[in-house]
Amino acid sequence: MKKFITIATLLTLSVMLLVALSACRQDASSEARQTARDVANQLQERQPVPTDIQASLERHNLIRRSYWINGMQERALTLPNPVPNPPVGYIILFAPNGGVVGRFEVDGKVTSLNYSLVPYSEYFQDTRPNNRNRWIANPGGVYGANTNGIFWFTPCGRYMEWNGTYLFSDVPFVIDDPIVRIDNVGQ
């Protein structure tokens, strides 16, 4: 009986020690999360989201793509760019083995294929158990996420997609030996 009491006492003390240690760990991680939130809030106050942006190249690309992939290429080509002086970019595409597939001039910027003009659902971040999520169709009338990758338009209006590794810059690239040549892109 004495041995049983000793073992029970040791088990009880062990459980109490584990609970105390896990509480300390929770308090420390909880404190670290709160500190991170505080720092983020301070940075947002010091560097707020700009409110004076008049137009978005991202949205322009998405609208243009929506016309393009739905058979309205003429509308996509004549859609006026709301950004007065859009940048010209350059992209180089890499094959899985590291070789260069090609390089292109980019009208404005590249855009993720997973960006959308509308949220995917009415309750995008809502995780309440009894909420019935109503999915919203994208401008093409379909639901769900797109494949991973990027898209862009060339200055002459050609539509391009890529789902591999790339480098984008405002500096033109010079490539001597691409693996694949894509000719007449600008014509």
Side-chain angles (χ1 to χ4, degrees), residues 5-69:
I5 292 174
T6 304
I7 291 174
T9 303
L10 284 174
L11 282 173
T12 303
L13 288 173
S14 297
V15 167
M16 289 172 53
L17 182 62
L18 284 173
V19 168
L21 288 175
S22 68
C24 290
R25 208 172 343 150
Q26 270 185 330
D27 289 343
S29 63
S30 176
E31 186 178 314
R33 283 192 302 274
Q34 185 58 48
T35 300
R37 281 192 291 269
D38 292 344
V39 169
N41 288 337
Q42 290 169 8
L43 289 172
Q44 287 173 355
E45 286 176 23
R46 291 184 199 133
Q47 296 174 305
V49 172
T51 58
D52 58 343
I53 294 175
Q54 300 297 312
S56 163
L57 281 175
E58 208 78 70
R59 291 185 67 80
H60 176 68
N61 273 0
L62 290 166
I63 293 166
R64 196 171 173 190
R65 178 179 186 269
S66 187
Y67 285 127
W68 187 272
I69 63 175

Side-chain angles (χ1 to χ4, degrees), residues 141-168:
V142 297
Y143 301 86
N146 206 336
T147 185
N148 289 326
I150 57 169
F151 74 91
W152 69 93
F153 289 89
T154 65
C156 65
R158 298 291 186 198
Y159 175 76
M160 310 291 272
E161 278 188 22
W162 181 253
N163 67 352
T165 304
Y166 67 95
L167 176 63
F168 178 76

Side-chain angles (χ1 to χ4, degrees), residues 12 29 61 70 97 110 118 120-121 130 135 152 163 171 179:
T12 303
S29 63
N61 273 0
N70 287 294
N97 67 0
V110 297
V118 295
Y120 290 116
S121 71
N130 293 327
W135 298 102
W152 69 93
N163 67 352
V171 177
I179 295 173

Side-chain angles (χ1 to χ4, degrees), residues 120-131:
Y120 290 116
S121 71
E122 202 170 88
Y123 305 110
F124 187 66
Q125 297 276 332
D126 196 342
T127 58
R128 290 178 284 184
N130 293 327
N131 254 352

Side-chain angles (χ1 to χ4, degrees), residues 62-126:
L62 290 166
I63 293 166
R64 196 171 173 190
R65 178 179 186 269
S66 187
Y67 285 127
W68 187 272
I69 63 175
N70 287 294
M72 299 174 70
Q73 287 83 6
E74 185 64 33
R75 177 76 171 109
L77 289 170
T78 58
L79 185 68
N81 192 333
V83 177
N85 298 308
V88 173
Y90 303 89
I91 191 167
I92 186 168
L93 311 176
F94 298 100
N97 67 0
V100 174
V101 173
R103 69 180 175 92
F104 300 92
E105 217 173 274
V106 176
D107 182 20
K109 66 177 303 305
V110 297
T111 298
S112 170
L113 286 168
N114 283 313
Y115 284 172
S116 177
L117 290 168
V118 295
Y120 290 116
S121 71
E122 202 170 88
Y123 305 110
F124 187 66
Q125 297 276 332
D126 196 342

